[in-house]
Amino acid sequence: GFMAAWYMRPPTNSDPNLGAVLYLHGRSQNRGYSHRVGLYKVLLEMGFCVLAIDYRGFGDSSDIEIHEETVVDDAINSHKYLRKNYKPQKILVWGHSLWAPIAARLAAQDD
């Protein structure tokens, strides 16, 4: 299956050293839900890049049955994607609601 995502860059006049935010949305809706889009705009205006994903089973990602393991795998793979371009200390993992523990797990695994 595939996981859909938006990788957003801040305006060109932003500080390129701020880093990136991996946004893990909650159990309801998808990455395009209006209050989430508002948050992305704030983060972008602050100068952060934002990677917002829809786990498989959500939004326009693969239509699969949602399990904890698949959600964790999707978060880990998204984090690995950001690690290709950012040092661990430059990645903020923002877990919303039910997925906040996944964000904590990813942050704890950083060296």
Side-chain angles (χ1 to χ4, degrees):
F2 65 92
M3 181 178 51
W6 293 335
Y7 181 70
M8 299 162 274
R9 296 176 185 262
T12 56
N13 60 348
S14 299
D15 180 356
N17 296 315
L18 282 178
V21 176
L22 171 58
Y23 184 79
L24 305 174
H25 70 69
R27 178 72 171 91
S28 64
Q29 305 299 328
N30 57 50
R31 71 187 186 280
Y33 197 53
S34 63
H35 74 274
R36 294 180 180 132
V37 171
L39 174 62
Y40 309 152
K41 288 178 181 178
V42 170
L43 293 169
L44 290 165
E45 288 170 4
M46 292 174 65
F48 292 97
C49 290
V50 178
L51 178 59
I53 66 168
D54 272 337
Y55 317 98
R56 289 170 291 158
F58 287 85
D60 56 351
S61 294
S62 291
D63 187 19
I64 65 167
E65 188 174 334
I66 301 164
H67 295 282
E68 180 181 355
E69 297 81 22
T70 60
V71 172
V72 170
D73 286 346
D74 290 347
I76 289 171
N77 288 328
S78 299
H79 192 250
K80 285 180 182 177
Y81 173 82
L82 287 177
R83 293 275 308 256
K84 291 177 185 177
N85 295 304
Y86 297 94
K87 294 180 180 178
Q89 62 269 27
K90 294 291 186 177
I91 300 172
L92 171 67
V93 184
W94 187 313
H96 183 82
S97 188
L98 188 59
W99 306 139
I102 297 170
R105 175 180 168 178
L106 289 174
Q109 290 175 340
D110 276 340
D111 299 327

